[in-house]
Amino acid sequence: MVKTENSPKQAFYDFYLDEHQNIACRRLHFAGSSFGLLGLAKSVKTGSAKPLVKGIAAGYACAWVGHFFFEKNKPASFKFPLKSFVSDFRMYSDVLRGNLSLRNRKFDKAR
């Protein structure tokens, strides 16, 4: 794995990734983040906050199922809501760029 900068942001992200080692949990996070982004897009298009609220609710539901049933830990958002939110979208971006795998952790490059 590639080691990147050793800043407080990177240290938290490393912790965040440690809390998301289970592939099913990662997949659920990716789906949840996608629901949130789709809700945001629909809210902007329609001018209504309802799709955004639904997208956020679906996103957190997916993430929490991933943690409680697959990862067997508590979501980091309970203690670090803002850092976790930012790290979730960093993880989402790493998946899209091919740095994190949704198939097997041995293919991870982000670290």
Side-chain angles (χ1 to χ4, degrees), residues 8-53:
K9 286 182 184 178
Q10 183 61 39
F12 185 82
Y13 188 57
D14 288 341
F15 159 76
Y16 191 80
L17 291 178
D18 286 341
E19 298 291 304
H20 297 84
Q21 293 187 33
N22 182 282
I23 294 300
C25 182
R26 284 188 187 181
R27 289 175 180 166
L28 284 163
H29 269 68
F30 190 82
S33 295
S34 297
F35 290 142
L37 290 171
L38 289 170
L40 174 64
K42 191 167 182 181
S43 285
V44 168
K45 183 178 178 182
T46 63
S48 169
K50 195 172 184 177
L52 177 61
V53 172

Side-chain angles (χ1 to χ4, degrees), residues 1-2 4 10 13-14 17 94 99-100 108-111:
M1 289 193 199
V2 176
T4 55
Q10 183 61 39
Y13 188 57
D14 288 341
L17 291 178
D94 278 340
N99 293 328
L100 286 176
D108 289 354
K109 299 174 195 167
R111 281 208 198 196

